[in-house]
Amino acid sequence: MKTRTFEAPRGRAGAAAAIDRGYLARFTMGNEALTQEVLELFAAQVPLMLDRLRQAQSDADWQAAAHTLKGSAAAVGARQLQCWAELAERVDANVPAAEREAQRALALSLIVEATEAACRQIGQMYAA
């Protein structure tokens, strides 16, 4: 049986917006107050999701945390974060422990970077 490994795609797109505002506008039916509420709720909750991922004690905990993060990112149009969370969800439990931990560390660093970009964009959108 061939095991899957986590590999970060080469050539990350740094210029793309962290939040797909067009998607979010369709999701919130153009209601800017709802858009702001959804994004601010996401920005408040995403640190808790990251903590769940960091503190995962089992493969099931890791996958559940990555899955939750993936869904939340998808809901707000955080496409890059969604992509990294989906890849994190696929970290293979059947590889040696050291390799699995290296894959998780890489996944977490990419997720943190994408999370920071999304939260930075949200902050810029609603700066007073």
Side-chain angles (χ1 to χ4, degrees), residues 88-109:
E89 192 177 22
R90 296 180 190 171
V91 168
D92 195 340
N94 296 316
V95 298
E99 185 178 342
R100 183 173 57 251
E101 290 308 312
Q103 290 175 7
R104 284 183 178 182
L106 174 59
L108 187 57
S109 70

Side-chain angles (χ1 to χ4, degrees), residues 4 6 49-70 84-93 99-112:
R4 297 174 294 167
F6 177 90
M49 291 180 239
L50 286 175
D51 283 344
R52 277 189 61 206
L53 201 56
R54 285 184 182 108
Q55 296 173 11
Q57 295 294 311
S58 68
D59 294 320
D61 291 344
W62 172 269
Q63 288 178 336
H67 183 78
T68 300
L69 183 57
K70 177 182 75 172
W84 294 140
E86 183 176 344
L87 288 171
E89 192 177 22
R90 296 180 190 171
V91 168
D92 195 340
E99 185 178 342
R100 183 173 57 251
E101 290 308 312
Q103 290 175 7
R104 284 183 178 182
L106 174 59
L108 187 57
S109 70
L110 293 167
I111 287 169
V112 166

Side-chain angles (χ1 to χ4, degrees), residues 12 16 35 55-56 60 70 75 77-78 83 94 98 113 115 119-120 126 128:
R12 292 186 234 161
T35 297
Q55 296 173 11
K70 177 182 75 172
C83 176
N94 296 316
E113 184 180 312
T115 299
C119 289
R120 190 170 39 254
Y126 301 108

Side-chain angles (χ1 to χ4, degrees), residues 19-44 72 75-78 118 121-126:
I19 304 288
D20 179 345
R21 296 207 54 194
Y23 167 80
L24 192 55
R26 289 186 302 277
F27 178 71
T28 60
M29 297 175 283
N31 182 327
E32 186 55 36
L34 180 57
T35 297
Q36 183 173 353
E37 184 178 344
V38 166
L39 288 175
E40 288 176 347
L41 181 61
F42 172 79
S72 295
V76 300
Q121 183 179 347
I122 293 166
Q124 290 167 350
M125 290 167 61
Y126 301 108

